[in-house]
Amino acid sequence: MNIENKPTDMKGMNVAKKLFKVFESYGINLNGRQGNLHLKNDLHMDEVFINGLIFELEYVSKKNLEKEFGELELRPVSLMEEFVS
């Protein structure tokens, strides 16, 4: 492993932990089946709550998504990938 990449990897791990906690605060367990369920269609979340979740994910990760709401894959695992990458 290249030493120069190590801080980036650690930073990604810390962000992932924070994102995981945000999902947990919304009652979404990423370890189980819920990680792949669609937030609106399967988990029946209202768009207001989805927007709040995305806002908190952006805040915690310090990353603003360039995609519009309609362009996002509204599955927890997909959102994690968007914010960690």
Side-chain angles (χ1 to χ4, degrees):
M1 173 186 269
N2 188 347
I3 295 174
E4 295 168 11
N5 291 337
K6 195 168 184 178
T8 305
D9 293 341
M10 290 302 293
K11 182 181 177 188
M13 291 291 288
N14 289 335
V15 169
K17 286 180 185 179
K18 290 177 183 177
L19 295 173
F20 190 84
K21 288 181 182 181
V22 171
F23 280 108
E24 281 185 335
S25 74
Y26 278 78
I28 300 169
N29 182 0
L30 295 177
N31 291 327
R33 188 175 90 100
Q34 286 184 331
N36 289 315
L37 296 178
H38 193 275
L39 296 175
K40 188 173 182 179
N41 299 337
D42 298 323
L43 297 176
H44 308 290
M45 285 182 72
D46 189 81
E47 282 190 26
V48 172
F49 290 107
I50 295 172
N51 282 324
L53 172 64
I54 292 170
F55 172 80
E56 287 190 49
L57 295 172
E58 287 179 330
Y59 180 77
V60 166
S61 67
K62 298 178 181 156
K63 179 179 180 181
N64 290 325
L65 291 181
E66 299 297 322
K67 294 182 178 179
E68 294 294 323
F69 183 81
E71 298 172 351
L72 290 172
E73 177 66 35
L74 296 175
R75 299 180 188 281
V77 172
S78 300
L79 289 173
M80 284 284 289
E81 290 173 1
E82 290 280 345
F83 286 103
V84 173
S85 64

Coordinates of all heavy atoms in Angstrom, one line a residue:
M1 N 0.8 -1.2 0.0 CA 0.0 0.0 0.0 C 0.9 1.2 0.0 O 1.9 1.3 0.7 CB -0.9 0.0 1.2 CG -1.7 1.3 1.4 SD -2.6 1.4 2.9 CE -4.1 0.7 2.3
N2 N 0.5 2.2 -0.8 CA 1.3 3.4 -0.9 C 0.9 4.3 0.3 O -0.3 4.5 0.6 CB 0.9 4.1 -2.2 CG 1.7 5.3 -2.5 OD1 2.4 5.8 -1.6 ND2 1.6 5.8 -3.7
I3 N 1.9 4.8 1.0 CA 1.7 5.6 2.2 C 0.9 6.9 1.9 O 0.1 7.3 2.7 CB 3.1 6.0 2.8 CG1 3.7 4.7 3.3 CG2 2.9 7.0 4.0 CD1 5.1 4.9 3.9
E4 N 1.1 7.4 0.7 CA 0.4 8.6 0.3 C -1.1 8.4 0.2 O -1.9 9.3 0.4 CB 0.9 9.1 -1.1 CG 2.3 9.6 -1.0 CD 2.9 9.8 -2.4 OE1 2.2 9.8 -3.4 OE2 4.1 9.9 -2.5
N5 N -1.6 7.2 -0.1 CA -3.0 6.9 -0.2 C -3.7 6.6 1.1 O -4.9 6.6 1.2 CB -3.2 5.7 -1.1 CG -2.9 6.0 -2.5 OD1 -2.9 7.2 -2.9 ND2 -2.6 5.0 -3.3
K6 N -2.9 6.3 2.2 CA -3.5 5.9 3.4 C -4.4 7.0 4.1 O -5.5 6.7 4.5 CB -2.4 5.5 4.4 CG -2.9 4.8 5.6 CD -1.8 4.2 6.4 CE -2.3 3.3 7.5 NZ -1.3 2.7 8.2
P7 N -4.0 8.3 4.1 CA -4.9 9.3 4.7 C -6.2 9.4 4.0 O -7.3 9.5 4.6 CB -4.1 10.6 4.6 CG -2.7 10.2 4.6 CD -2.7 8.9 3.8
T8 N -6.2 9.2 2.7 CA -7.4 9.3 1.9 C -8.3 8.1 2.3 O -9.5 8.3 2.4 CB -7.1 9.3 0.4 OG1 -6.2 10.3 0.1 CG2 -8.3 9.4 -0.4
D9 N -7.7 6.9 2.4 CA -8.5 5.8 2.8 C -9.1 5.9 4.2 O -10.3 5.6 4.4 CB -7.6 4.5 2.8 CG -7.2 4.1 1.4 OD1 -7.8 4.6 0.4 OD2 -6.2 3.4 1.3
M10 N -8.3 6.5 5.1 CA -8.9 6.7 6.5 C -10.0 7.7 6.4 O -11.0 7.6 7.1 CB -7.7 7.1 7.4 CG -6.7 6.0 7.7 SD -7.5 4.6 8.4 CE -8.0 5.3 10.0
K11 N -9.8 8.8 5.6 CA -10.8 9.8 5.5 C -12.1 9.2 5.0 O -13.2 9.5 5.5 CB -10.3 10.9 4.6 CG -11.3 12.1 4.5 CD -10.8 13.1 3.6 CE -11.9 14.2 3.4 NZ -11.5 15.2 2.4
G12 N -12.0 8.3 3.9 CA -13.1 7.7 3.4 C -13.8 6.8 4.4 O -15.1 6.7 4.4
M13 N -13.1 6.1 5.2 CA -13.6 5.3 6.3 C -14.4 6.1 7.3 O -15.5 5.8 7.7 CB -12.6 4.5 7.0 CG -11.9 3.4 6.1 SD -13.1 2.1 5.8 CE -13.1 1.3 7.3
N14 N -13.8 7.3 7.7 CA -14.5 8.1 8.7 C -15.8 8.7 8.1 O -16.8 8.8 8.8 CB -13.5 9.3 9.1 CG -12.4 8.8 10.0 OD1 -12.5 7.8 10.6 ND2 -11.3 9.5 9.9
V15 N -15.8 9.1 6.8 CA -17.0 9.6 6.2 C -18.0 8.5 6.1 O -19.2 8.8 6.4 CB -16.7 10.2 4.8 CG1 -17.9 10.5 4.0 CG2 -15.8 11.4 4.9
A16 N -17.6 7.3 5.8 CA -18.6 6.2 5.7 C -19.2 5.9 7.0 O -20.4 5.7 7.1 CB -17.9 4.9 5.2
K17 N -18.5 6.0 8.1 CA -19.0 5.8 9.5 C -20.0 6.9 9.8 O -21.1 6.6 10.3 CB -17.9 5.8 10.5 CG -17.1 4.6 10.5 CD -16.0 4.7 11.6 CE -15.1 3.5 11.6 NZ -14.1 3.6 12.6
K18 N -19.7 8.1 9.4 CA -20.7 9.2 9.7 C -21.9 9.1 8.9 O -23.0 9.3 9.4 CB -20.0 10.5 9.4 CG -18.9 10.9 10.3 CD -18.2 12.2 9.9 CE -17.1 12.6 10.9 NZ -16.4 13.8 10.4
L19 N -21.8 8.7 7.6 CA -22.9 8.5 6.7 C -23.8 7.3 7.3 O -25.0 7.4 7.3 CB -22.5 8.1 5.3 CG -21.8 9.2 4.6 CD1 -21.2 8.7 3.2 CD2 -22.6 10.5 4.4
F20 N -23.2 6.3 7.7 CA -23.9 5.1 8.3 C -24.7 5.6 9.5 O -25.9 5.2 9.6 CB -22.8 4.1 8.8 CG -23.4 2.8 9.2 CD1 -23.7 1.8 8.2 CD2 -23.7 2.5 10.5 CE1 -24.3 0.6 8.6 CE2 -24.2 1.3 10.9 CZ -24.5 0.3 9.9
K21 N -24.2 6.5 10.3 CA -24.9 7.0 11.5 C -26.1 7.8 11.1 O -27.2 7.8 11.7 CB -24.0 7.8 12.4 CG -23.1 6.9 13.2 CD -22.2 7.7 14.1 CE -21.2 6.7 14.8 NZ -20.3 7.4 15.7
V22 N -26.0 8.6 10.0 CA -27.1 9.4 9.5 C -28.2 8.5 9.0 O -29.4 8.7 9.4 CB -26.7 10.3 8.3 CG1 -27.9 11.0 7.7 CG2 -25.7 11.4 8.8
F23 N -27.9 7.4 8.3 CA -28.9 6.5 7.9 C -29.6 5.8 9.1 O -30.8 5.7 9.1 CB -28.3 5.4 7.0 CG -28.2 5.8 5.5 CD1 -26.9 6.1 5.0 CD2 -29.3 6.0 4.7 CE1 -26.8 6.5 3.7 CE2 -29.1 6.4 3.4 CZ -27.9 6.6 2.9
E24 N -28.8 5.5 10.1 CA -29.4 4.9 11.3 C -30.3 5.8 12.0 O -31.4 5.4 12.5 CB -28.3 4.5 12.3 CG -27.6 3.2 12.0 CD -26.6 2.8 13.0 OE1 -26.0 3.7 13.7 OE2 -26.3 1.6 13.1
S25 N -30.0 7.1 12.0 CA -30.9 8.1 12.6 C -32.3 8.2 11.9 O -33.2 8.6 12.5 CB -30.2 9.5 12.7 OG -30.2 10.1 11.4
Y26 N -32.3 7.8 10.6 CA -33.6 7.7 9.9 C -34.2 6.3 10.0 O -35.2 6.1 9.3 CB -33.3 8.1 8.4 CG -33.3 9.6 8.2 CD1 -32.1 10.4 8.5 CD2 -34.4 10.3 7.7 CE1 -32.1 11.7 8.4 CE2 -34.3 11.7 7.5 CZ -33.2 12.4 7.8 OH -33.1 13.7 7.6
G27 N -33.6 5.5 10.8 CA -34.2 4.1 10.9 C -33.9 3.2 9.8 O -34.5 2.2 9.6
I28 N -32.8 3.5 9.1 CA -32.4 2.6 7.9 C -31.2 1.8 8.3 O -30.1 2.4 8.6 CB -32.1 3.5 6.7 CG1 -33.4 4.2 6.3 CG2 -31.7 2.6 5.5 CD1 -33.2 5.3 5.2
N29 N -31.3 0.5 8.3 CA -30.2 -0.4 8.6 C -29.5 -0.8 7.3 O -30.1 -1.5 6.5 CB -30.7 -1.6 9.4 CG -29.6 -2.5 9.8 OD1 -28.4 -2.3 9.5 ND2 -30.0 -3.6 10.5
L30 N -28.3 -0.4 7.1 CA -27.5 -0.7 5.9 C -27.0 -2.1 5.9 O -26.7 -2.6 4.8 CB -26.4 0.3 5.7 CG -26.8 1.7 5.5 CD1 -25.5 2.6 5.4 CD2 -27.6 1.9 4.3
N31 N -26.9 -2.8 7.0 CA -26.4 -4.1 7.1 C -27.4 -5.1 6.5 O -27.1 -6.2 6.0 CB -26.0 -4.5 8.5 CG -24.8 -3.7 9.0 OD1 -24.0 -3.4 8.2 ND2 -24.8 -3.5 10.2
G32 N -28.7 -4.8 6.7 CA -29.7 -5.8 6.3 C -30.2 -5.5 4.9 O -29.6 -4.9 4.0
R33 N -31.4 -6.0 4.6 CA -32.1 -5.9 3.4 C -32.4 -4.4 3.0 O -32.5 -4.1 1.8 CB -33.4 -6.7 3.5 CG -34.1 -6.8 2.2 CD -35.3 -7.8 2.4 NE -36.5 -7.0 2.8 CZ -37.5 -6.7 2.0 NH1 -37.5 -7.1 0.8 NH2 -38.5 -6.0 2.5
Q34 N -32.6 -3.6 4.0 CA -33.0 -2.2 3.8 C -31.9 -1.4 2.9 O -32.3 -0.4 2.3 CB -33.2 -1.4 5.1 CG -34.5 -1.8 5.8 CD -34.7 -1.0 7.0 OE1 -33.7 -0.6 7.7 NE2 -35.9 -0.8 7.4
G35 N -30.7 -1.8 2.9 CA -29.6 -1.1 2.2 C -29.9 -1.0 0.7 O -29.4 -0.1 0.1
N36 N -30.6 -2.0 0.2 CA -30.9 -2.0 -1.3 C -32.3 -1.6 -1.6 O -32.6 -1.6 -2.8 CB -30.6 -3.4 -1.8 CG -29.1 -3.7 -1.8 OD1 -28.3 -2.9 -2.2 ND2 -28.8 -4.9 -1.3
L37 N -33.1 -1.3 -0.6 CA -34.5 -0.9 -0.9 C -34.6 0.6 -1.4 O -33.8 1.4 -0.9 CB -35.4 -1.1 0.3 CG -35.5 -2.6 0.8 CD1 -36.4 -2.6 2.0 CD2 -36.1 -3.5 -0.3
H38 N -35.5 0.9 -2.2 CA -35.7 2.2 -2.7 C -36.4 3.0 -1.6 O -37.4 2.6 -1.0 CB -36.6 2.2 -4.0 CG -36.6 3.5 -4.7 ND1 -37.5 4.5 -4.4 CD2 -35.9 3.9 -5.7 CE1 -37.3 5.5 -5.2 NE2 -36.3 5.2 -6.0
L39 N -35.8 4.2 -1.3 CA -36.3 5.0 -0.2 C -37.8 5.4 -0.4 O -38.6 5.3 0.6 CB -35.5 6.3 -0.1 CG -34.0 6.1 0.3 CD1 -33.3 7.4 0.3 CD2 -33.9 5.4 1.6
K40 N -38.2 5.7 -1.6 CA -39.6 6.2 -1.8 C -40.5 5.0 -2.1 O -41.6 4.9 -1.4 CB -39.6 7.2 -2.9 CG -41.0 7.9 -3.1 CD -40.9 8.9 -4.2 CE -42.2 9.6 -4.3 NZ -42.1 10.7 -5.3
N41 N -40.2 4.1 -2.9 CA -41.1 3.1 -3.4 C -41.2 1.9 -2.4 O -42.2 1.4 -2.2 CB -40.7 2.5 -4.8 CG -40.7 3.6 -5.8 OD1 -41.4 4.6 -5.7 ND2 -39.9 3.4 -6.9
D42 N -40.0 1.5 -1.8 CA -40.0 0.4 -0.9 C -40.2 0.7 0.6 O -40.9 0.1 1.3 CB -38.8 -0.5 -1.1 CG -38.6 -1.0 -2.5 OD1 -39.7 -1.4 -3.1 OD2 -37.5 -1.1 -3.1
L43 N -39.4 1.8 1.0 CA -39.5 2.2 2.4 C -40.6 3.3 2.6 O -40.8 3.7 3.8 CB -38.1 2.7 2.8 CG -37.0 1.7 2.8 CD1 -35.7 2.3 3.1 CD2 -37.3 0.6 3.7
H44 N -41.2 3.7 1.6 CA -42.3 4.7 1.6 C -42.0 6.0 2.4 O -42.8 6.5 3.2 CB -43.6 4.0 2.3 CG -43.9 2.7 1.6 ND1 -44.4 2.7 0.3 CD2 -43.8 1.4 2.0 CE1 -44.6 1.4 0.0 NE2 -44.3 0.6 1.0
M45 N -40.8 6.5 2.1 CA -40.3 7.7 2.7 C -40.9 8.9 1.9 O -40.9 8.8 0.7 CB -38.8 7.9 2.8 CG -38.2 7.0 3.8 SD -36.4 7.3 3.9 CE -36.2 8.9 4.5
D46 N -41.4 9.9 2.6 CA -41.9 11.1 1.9 C -40.7 11.9 1.4 O -39.6 11.8 1.9 CB -42.6 12.0 2.9 CG -43.3 13.1 2.3 OD1 -44.4 12.9 1.8 OD2 -42.8 14.2 2.3
E47 N -40.9 12.6 0.3 CA -39.8 13.4 -0.4 C -39.2 14.4 0.6 O -38.0 14.7 0.5 CB -40.3 14.1 -1.7 CG -40.4 13.1 -2.8 CD -40.6 13.8 -4.1 OE1 -40.2 15.0 -4.3 OE2 -41.2 13.2 -5.0
V48 N -39.9 14.9 1.5 CA -39.4 15.9 2.4 C -38.3 15.2 3.3 O -37.3 15.8 3.5 CB -40.5 16.5 3.3 CG1 -40.0 17.3 4.4 CG2 -41.5 17.3 2.5
F49 N -38.6 14.0 3.7 CA -37.6 13.3 4.6 C -36.4 12.8 3.7 O -35.3 12.9 4.2 CB -38.3 12.1 5.2 CG -39.3 12.5 6.3 CD1 -40.6 12.3 6.1 CD2 -38.8 13.0 7.5 CE1 -41.5 12.7 7.1 CE2 -39.7 13.4 8.5 CZ -41.1 13.2 8.3
I50 N -36.7 12.5 2.5 CA -35.6 12.1 1.6 C -34.7 13.3 1.4 O -33.4 13.2 1.4 CB -36.1 11.5 0.3 CG1 -36.9 10.2 0.5 CG2 -34.9 11.3 -0.7 CD1 -37.6 9.7 -0.7
N51 N -35.3 14.5 1.1 CA -34.5 15.7 1.0 C -33.7 16.0 2.2 O -32.5 16.4 2.2 CB -35.3 16.9 0.6 CG -35.7 16.8 -0.9 OD1 -35.0 16.4 -1.7 ND2 -36.9 17.3 -1.1
G52 N -34.3 15.8 3.4 CA -33.6 16.0 4.7 C -32.4 15.0 4.8 O -31.3 15.4 5.3
L53 N -32.7 13.8 4.5 CA -31.6 12.8 4.5 C -30.4 13.2 3.6 O -29.3 13.1 4.1 CB -32.2 11.4 4.1 CG -31.2 10.3 3.9 CD1 -30.5 9.9 5.3 CD2 -31.8 9.1 3.4
I54 N -30.7 13.5 2.4 CA -29.7 13.9 1.5 C -28.9 15.2 2.0 O -27.7 15.2 1.9 CB -30.3 14.2 0.1 CG1 -30.7 12.8 -0.5 CG2 -29.2 14.8 -0.9 CD1 -31.5 12.9 -1.8
F55 N -29.7 16.1 2.5 CA -29.0 17.3 3.1 C -28.0 16.9 4.2 O -26.9 17.4 4.3 CB -30.0 18.3 3.7 CG -29.4 19.4 4.4 CD1 -28.9 20.5 3.7 CD2 -29.4 19.4 5.8 CE1 -28.3 21.5 4.5 CE2 -28.8 20.4 6.5 CZ -28.2 21.5 5.8
E56 N -28.5 16.0 5.1 CA -27.6 15.6 6.2 C -26.4 14.8 5.7 O -25.3 15.0 6.2 CB -28.4 14.8 7.2 CG -29.3 15.6 8.1 CD -29.9 14.8 9.2 OE1 -29.1 14.1 9.9 OE2 -31.1 14.8 9.4
L57 N -26.6 14.0 4.7 CA -25.5 13.2 4.1 C -24.5 14.2 3.4 O -23.3 14.0 3.6 CB -26.0 12.2 3.0 CG -26.9 11.1 3.5 CD1 -27.5 10.3 2.4 CD2 -26.1 10.2 4.5
E58 N -25.0 15.2 2.8 CA -24.1 16.3 2.2 C -23.3 17.0 3.3 O -22.1 17.2 3.1 CB -24.9 17.3 1.3 CG -25.4 16.7 0.0 CD -26.2 17.7 -0.8 OE1 -26.9 18.6 -0.2 OE2 -26.2 17.6 -2.0
Y59 N -24.0 17.3 4.3 CA -23.4 18.1 5.4 C -22.3 17.3 6.1 O -21.2 17.7 6.3 CB -24.4 18.5 6.4 CG -23.9 19.3 7.6 CD1 -23.6 20.6 7.5 CD2 -23.7 18.7 8.8 CE1 -23.1 21.3 8.5 CE2 -23.2 19.4 9.9 CZ -22.9 20.7 9.8 OH -22.3 21.4 10.8
V60 N -22.6 16.0 6.4 CA -21.6 15.1 7.1 C -20.4 14.8 6.2 O -19.3 14.8 6.7 CB -22.3 13.8 7.5 CG1 -21.4 12.8 7.9 CG2 -23.3 14.1 8.7
S61 N -20.7 14.6 4.9 CA -19.6 14.2 4.0 C -18.8 15.5 3.5 O -17.8 15.3 2.8 CB -20.1 13.4 2.8 OG -20.9 14.2 2.0
K62 N -19.4 16.6 3.7 CA -18.9 17.9 3.2 C -18.7 17.8 1.6 O -17.7 18.3 1.1 CB -17.5 18.2 3.8 CG -17.6 18.4 5.3 CD -16.3 18.7 5.9 CE -16.5 18.8 7.4 NZ -15.4 18.6 8.2
K63 N -19.7 17.2 1.0 CA -19.7 17.1 -0.4 C -21.1 17.4 -1.0 O -22.1 16.8 -0.5 CB -19.4 15.6 -0.8 CG -19.4 15.3 -2.3 CD -19.0 13.9 -2.5 CE -19.0 13.6 -4.0 NZ -18.6 12.2 -4.3
N64 N -21.2 18.3 -1.9 CA -22.5 18.6 -2.5 C -22.7 17.8 -3.8 O -21.8 17.7 -4.6 CB -22.6 20.1 -2.9 CG -22.7 21.0 -1.7 OD1 -23.3 20.6 -0.7 ND2 -22.1 22.1 -1.8
L65 N -23.8 17.1 -3.9 CA -24.1 16.3 -5.1 C -24.4 17.2 -6.3 O -25.1 18.2 -6.1 CB -25.2 15.4 -4.9 CG -25.0 14.2 -3.9 CD1 -26.3 13.4 -3.8 CD2 -23.9 13.4 -4.3
E66 N -23.8 16.8 -7.4 CA -24.1 17.6 -8.6 C -25.4 17.2 -9.3 O -25.9 17.9 -10.1 CB -22.9 17.5 -9.6 CG -21.6 18.0 -9.0 CD -21.6 19.4 -8.7 OE1 -22.2 20.2 -9.5 OE2 -21.0 19.8 -7.7
K67 N -25.8 16.0 -9.0 CA -27.0 15.4 -9.6 C -28.3 16.1 -9.0 O -28.3 16.4 -7.9 CB -27.1 13.9 -9.4 CG -26.0 13.2 -10.1 CD -26.2 11.7 -9.9 CE -25.1 10.9 -10.6 NZ -25.3 9.5 -10.4
E68 N -29.3 16.1 -9.9 CA -30.6 16.6 -9.4 C -31.3 15.5 -8.7 O -31.0 14.3 -8.9 CB -31.5 17.0 -10.6 CG -30.9 18.3 -11.3 CD -31.0 19.5 -10.5 OE1 -31.9 19.7 -9.7 OE2 -30.0 20.3 -10.6
F69 N -32.3 15.8 -7.9 CA -33.0 14.8 -7.1 C -33.6 13.7 -8.0 O -33.4 12.5 -7.6 CB -34.2 15.5 -6.4 CG -35.0 14.6 -5.5 CD1 -34.5 14.3 -4.2 CD2 -36.2 14.0 -5.9 CE1 -35.2 13.5 -3.4 CE2 -36.9 13.2 -5.0 CZ -36.4 12.9 -3.8
G70 N -34.1 14.0 -9.1 CA -34.7 13.0 -10.0 C -33.7 12.1 -10.6 O -34.0 11.0 -11.1
E71 N -32.4 12.5 -10.7 CA -31.3 11.7 -11.3 C -30.7 10.7 -10.3 O -30.0 9.8 -10.7 CB -30.2 12.6 -11.8 CG -30.7 13.6 -12.9 CD -29.6 14.6 -13.2 OE1 -28.6 14.6 -12.5 OE2 -29.8 15.3 -14.2
L72 N -31.0 10.9 -9.0 CA -30.4 10.0 -8.0 C -31.0 8.7 -7.9 O -32.2 8.5 -8.0 CB -30.5 10.7 -6.6 CG -29.6 11.9 -6.4 CD1 -30.0 12.6 -5.0 CD2 -28.1 11.6 -6.4
E73 N -30.2 7.7 -7.7 CA -30.7 6.3 -7.4 C -31.0 6.3 -5.9 O -30.1 6.4 -5.1 CB -29.7 5.3 -7.7 CG -30.1 3.9 -7.4 CD -31.2 3.3 -8.2 OE1 -31.4 3.7 -9.4 OE2 -32.0 2.6 -7.6
L74 N -32.2 6.4 -5.5 CA -32.6 6.6 -4.1 C -32.6 5.3 -3.3 O -33.6 4.9 -2.7 CB -34.0 7.3 -4.0 CG -34.1 8.7 -4.6 CD1 -35.5 9.2 -4.6 CD2 -33.1 9.6 -3.9
R75 N -31.5 4.6 -3.3 CA -31.2 3.5 -2.5 C -30.1 3.8 -1.6 O -29.1 4.4 -2.0 CB -30.9 2.2 -3.4 CG -32.0 1.9 -4.3 CD -31.7 0.7 -5.2 NE -32.7 0.5 -6.2 CZ -33.9 0.0 -6.0 NH1 -34.2 -0.5 -4.8 NH2 -34.8 -0.2 -7.0
P76 N -30.2 3.4 -0.3 CA -29.1 3.8 0.6 C -27.7 3.4 0.2 O -26.8 4.2 0.3 CB -29.5 3.0 1.9 CG -31.0 2.9 1.8 CD -31.3 2.7 0.4
V77 N -27.5 2.2 -0.4 CA -26.2 1.7 -0.8 C -25.7 2.6 -1.9 O -24.5 3.0 -2.0 CB -26.2 0.2 -1.3 CG1 -24.9 -0.2 -1.9 CG2 -26.6 -0.6 -0.1
S78 N -26.6 3.0 -2.9 CA -26.2 3.9 -4.0 C -25.8 5.3 -3.5 O -24.9 5.9 -4.0 CB -27.3 4.0 -5.0 OG -27.6 2.7 -5.5
L79 N -26.6 5.8 -2.5 CA -26.3 7.1 -1.9 C -24.9 7.1 -1.2 O -24.1 8.0 -1.3 CB -27.4 7.6 -1.0 CG -28.7 7.9 -1.7 CD1 -29.8 8.2 -0.7 CD2 -28.5 9.2 -2.6
M80 N -24.6 6.0 -0.5 CA -23.3 5.8 0.2 C -22.2 5.9 -0.9 O -21.2 6.6 -0.6 CB -23.2 4.5 0.9 CG -24.0 4.4 2.2 SD -23.2 5.3 3.6 CE -21.8 4.3 3.9
E81 N -22.4 5.3 -2.0 CA -21.3 5.3 -3.0 C -21.2 6.7 -3.6 O -20.0 7.1 -3.9 CB -21.7 4.3 -4.1 CG -21.6 2.9 -3.8 CD -22.2 1.9 -4.8 OE1 -22.6 2.4 -5.9 OE2 -22.1 0.7 -4.6
E82 N -22.2 7.4 -3.7 CA -22.2 8.8 -4.2 C -21.3 9.7 -3.3 O -20.5 10.5 -3.8 CB -23.6 9.4 -4.4 CG -24.4 8.8 -5.5 CD -24.1 9.4 -6.8 OE1 -23.4 10.4 -7.0 OE2 -24.5 8.7 -7.8
F83 N -21.5 9.5 -2.0 CA -20.9 10.4 -1.1 C -19.5 10.0 -0.7 O -18.6 10.8 -0.3 CB -21.7 10.6 0.2 CG -22.9 11.4 0.0 CD1 -24.2 10.9 -0.2 CD2 -22.8 12.8 -0.1 CE1 -25.3 11.7 -0.4 CE2 -23.9 13.6 -0.3 CZ -25.1 13.0 -0.5
V84 N -19.2 8.7 -0.8 CA -17.8 8.2 -0.4 C -16.8 8.4 -1.5 O -15.7 8.6 -1.3 CB -17.9 6.8 0.1 CG1 -16.5 6.2 0.4 CG2 -18.7 6.7 1.4
S85 N -17.3 8.3 -2.8 CA -16.4 8.3 -3.9 C -15.9 9.7 -4.2 O -16.4 10.7 -3.7 CB -17.2 7.8 -5.2 OG -18.3 8.7 -5.5

